[in-house]
Amino acid sequence: MNIGERILQQSEILGAMTEVQGEVTRTYLTPMAKRAGEQIIAWMKEAGCDEAGWDTLGNVVARYRGASENAPVLMTGSHMDSVVNAGKYDGLFGILSPIACVYALAAQKKRLPFTFEIVAFGDEEGVRFGVTLIGSKAMAGRFDDAWWSKADANGITLKQAVIDFGGDPTALASLTRDPKKYLGFIESHIEQGPILLNDGLSVGVVTSIAGATRVRVNLKGLAGHAGTVPMAGRKDALACAAQMTLAIEEICAAGNGEVVGTVGKMEVAGGGAMNVIPGEANFTIDIRSGDDATRLAYVSRVEARCEAIAQRRNVSFAWDAFFHLSAAPCDEAHQAQWAQAIAAQGVQVKHLPSGAGHDAMSFKGVLPLSMLFVRCGNGGISHNPLEMMTADDAETATRVMLHFLERFQA
């Protein structure tokens, strides 16, 4: 069995550890998270890691020691939790591929000039407690104590869940990594999009992890009878929202790939009725770009266009930009080394941004960070049971990472 086939087989084993049979649903600090983590620990030890186990927040951490006792550390990893009804490779590949690298290094009895630390983060998706990137933010020193009181659907707080899992909230500070002892953070991840697939490439170098702005829009017009109010005199909040949606699509499509915009949720207040002109509508906007200045410029354009549409339709307009996340550019020296590793495998080098958020972005401003993307099949679909990757691509990506590690220069 080659490297890629083993990774896909391991993904199948972990995919069967689910809270809902027939799906891949595995959330933070649950019995299935425990099972998955224990299996990952077993594979880490089998591969040749010198130590592997749970930390106090429910992350799994392993180390393959460097050639010297006080060697600096290069960290890698990804998440072992999932969204509801997920695919088998999101997050998990970024854990299994580094483990495969340790297999190869240990088989050669080869030690690197740095300690290689692999982390399976307990929570990235935020499904259970509504807070994302819990594990990686804690290691980056960015854990917010307000999160302890966040509760799941059953009223169990994060603090209580950590205690029940066997962790210790009072030991949280011990997780923060010392930047003086770390060389950086790298992450290998499926692309979750179609760019590499469309270009016929197995892997690519990530340039930046996109920042995001999320907005709630409230529109108030005037409800009326669907049969008696003339079209010209209507103040239809839903029609106004629909026109704004198309405008957002038009504006962001003109960005030539540097920005994306999505209306992800829309509703008529009160649920609406078939024979009533909608008097109030609400919708959300998500705008992302790998460059913060670009993102903010497009947010301004979208807001101005939406306000103009509302004025023309005589509908009141309220704009609430409630969430802002800065982009996380990838380290240029890392990018160059990833490119060299890809070229060494005979693959054309492709640079591309990440539109999705990842654990790596937690370390922005703390450690040099970078990412390797791996091709998705099925049109690039992810967060979906149809998520797919091939054994050949898994092997190529792992060989790229191994090349990167063996020649890494901080």
Side-chain angles (χ1 to χ4, degrees), residues 33-34 36-46 48-65 80 95 99 116-122 139 165-167 175 177:
K34 177 76 81 171
E38 292 292 347
Q39 178 61 79
I40 290 168
I41 290 169
W43 285 331
M44 288 168 162
K45 291 178 178 178
E46 178 185 310
C49 290
D50 300 291
E51 51 189 278
W54 295 98
D55 72 13
T56 195
L57 201 57
N59 306 301
V60 167
V61 182
R63 284 187 162 202
Y64 184 69
R65 294 194 198 104
M80 59 181 174
I95 301 165
I99 292 173
F116 187 43
E117 184 174 71
I118 305 172
V119 183
F121 295 108
M139 292 188 184
F165 198 76
L175 301 188
R177 272 37 182 182

Side-chain angles (χ1 to χ4, degrees), residues 155-410:
I156 300 171
T157 64
L158 172 60
K159 185 174 185 178
Q160 188 60 52
V162 167
I163 294 170
D164 293 344
F165 198 76
D168 180 4
T170 66
L172 180 69
S174 66
L175 301 188
T176 302
R177 272 37 182 182
D178 182 352
K180 296 177 182 177
K181 298 179 180 179
Y182 277 73
L183 301 174
F185 180 89
I186 64 173
E187 182 171 0
S188 184
H189 204 284
I190 58 170
E191 181 196 343
Q192 298 182 283
I195 295 175
L196 292 173
L197 181 66
N198 292 344
D199 287 352
L201 300 172
S202 53
V203 291
V205 182
V206 178
T207 55
S208 180
I209 305 171
T213 296
R214 293 176 181 171
V215 183
R216 298 186 189 98
V217 175
N218 172 259
L219 303 172
K220 290 181 180 177
L222 184 64
H225 195 290
T228 61
V229 180
M231 297 300 293
R234 296 186 176 197
K235 299 178 182 179
D236 188 327
L238 182 58
C240 185
Q243 187 174 354
M244 290 177 180
T245 300
L246 294 176
I248 293 163
E249 182 180 61
E250 175 192 337
I251 291 168
C252 294
N256 296 318
E258 64 181 3
V259 65
V260 292
T262 305
V263 173
K265 183 177 181 181
M266 184 178 291
E267 60 185 7
V268 175
M274 188 176 295
N275 61 345
V276 177
I277 300 164
E280 182 177 351
N282 301 282
F283 67 94
T284 62
I285 308 170
D286 183 306
I287 296 177
R288 304 190 188 199
S289 175
D291 178 75
D292 287 334
T294 298
R295 170 175 53 85
L296 294 174
Y298 275 87
V299 169
S300 294
R301 290 178 207 173
V302 166
E303 182 179 10
R305 179 77 72 85
C306 287
E307 188 170 13
I309 291 169
Q311 288 177 352
R312 285 198 303 272
R313 288 182 165 272
N314 202 18
V315 170
S316 73
F317 168 72
W319 173 279
D320 175 22
F322 67 95
F323 175 86
H324 298 277
L325 178 68
S326 297
C330 291
D331 183 79
E332 291 186 2
H334 281 209
Q335 288 187 56
Q337 292 178 72
W338 282 119
Q340 291 169 3
I342 290 170
Q345 306 306 312
V347 179
Q348 178 186 334
V349 176
K350 170 83 175 182
H351 290 78
L352 69 165
S354 171
H358 299 286
D359 286 295
M361 69 193 310
S362 295
F363 296 94
K364 176 187 175 182
V366 177
L367 297 173
L369 65 94
S370 62
M371 291 190 70
L372 176 74
F373 263 173
V374 190
R375 173 169 51 191
C376 290
N378 278 349
I381 195 167
S382 182
H383 281 188
N384 186 298
L386 298 177
E387 183 178 278
M388 191 187 108
M389 75 182 307
T390 68
D392 285 347
D393 285 353
E395 176 142 3
T396 297
T398 301
R399 292 191 183 282
V400 168
M401 177 173 272
L402 185 59
H403 186 283
F404 179 94
L405 294 173
E406 290 178 322
R407 294 160 180 83
F408 178 71
Q409 296 291 323

